[in-house]
């Protein structure tokens, strides 16, 4: 196996792609994994946020192909400024403040 990027071993592990998979087999397995994860995110946001429940109401089911992403309308800054709380996926008291908790990256 020739590694194309330093991330390839991590991608293979994360997406459960065989170390021997190459070419079309690698691409198809990776795209299936990406599609599954995108659909999980869409499902989560539709179930847990008022904005995406309405914004993605036109979707009758999960995406069938990665190219279907083009059918999802953009989220604009005006959407966020109109009602930022519609984007919360958890109760407001579950949102943690990171202020003062961010640590410098140690090299």
């Amino acid at each position: 196996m020739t590694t194309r990027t330093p991330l390839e071993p991590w991608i293979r592990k994360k997406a459960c792609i065989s170390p021997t998979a190459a070419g079309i087999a690698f691409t198809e397995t990776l795209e299936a994994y990406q599609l599954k994860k995108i659909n999980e995110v869409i499902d989560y946001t539709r179930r847990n946020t008022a904005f995406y429940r309405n914004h993605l109401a036109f979707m009758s089911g999960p995406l069938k192909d990665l190219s279907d992403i083009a059918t999802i309308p953009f989220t604009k800054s005006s959407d966020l400024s109109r009602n930022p709380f519609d984007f919360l996926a958890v109760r407001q008291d579950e949102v943690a403040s990171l202020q003062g908790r961010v640590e410098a990256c140690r090299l």
Side-chain angles (χ1 to χ4, degrees), residues 95-104:
V95 177
S97 173
L98 295 178
Q99 185 176 352
R101 295 184 187 183
V102 178
E103 294 182 26

Side-chain angles (χ1 to χ4, degrees), residues 9-51:
W10 180 84
I11 292 168
R12 285 179 180 276
K13 183 178 178 185
K14 192 78 175 160
C16 299
I17 301 173
S18 165
T20 60
I24 298 296
F26 175 82
T27 303
E28 288 176 350
T29 306
L30 180 59
E31 287 177 355
Y33 174 79
Q34 290 169 329
L35 184 62
K36 176 182 179 264
K37 290 302 187 181
I38 289 168
N39 279 321
E40 287 175 5
V41 169
I42 290 170
D43 180 58
Y44 180 85
T45 59
R46 288 177 72 183
R47 284 186 292 108
N48 293 290
T49 70
F51 177 80

Side-chain angles (χ1 to χ4, degrees), residues 28-103:
E28 288 176 350
T29 306
L30 180 59
E31 287 177 355
Y33 174 79
Q34 290 169 329
L35 184 62
K36 176 182 179 264
K37 290 302 187 181
I38 289 168
N39 279 321
E40 287 175 5
V41 169
I42 290 170
D43 180 58
Y44 180 85
T45 59
R46 288 177 72 183
R47 284 186 292 108
N48 293 290
T49 70
F51 177 80
Y52 287 107
R53 190 173 307 114
N54 295 322
H55 195 62
L56 303 176
F58 71 93
M59 295 178 69
S60 58
L63 301 177
K64 306 248 185 295
D65 190 78
L66 288 177
S67 64
D68 293 341
I69 292 172
T71 66
I72 299 175
F74 285 102
T75 303
K76 299 175 272 194
S77 60
S78 59
D79 297 325
L80 184 57
S81 63
R82 207 169 310 138
N83 195 346
F85 298 108
D86 281 356
F87 287 84
L88 288 177
V90 296
R91 290 188 329 265
Q92 198 168 356
D93 64 344
E94 293 180 70
V95 177
S97 173
L98 295 178
Q99 185 176 352
R101 295 184 187 183
V102 178
E103 294 182 26

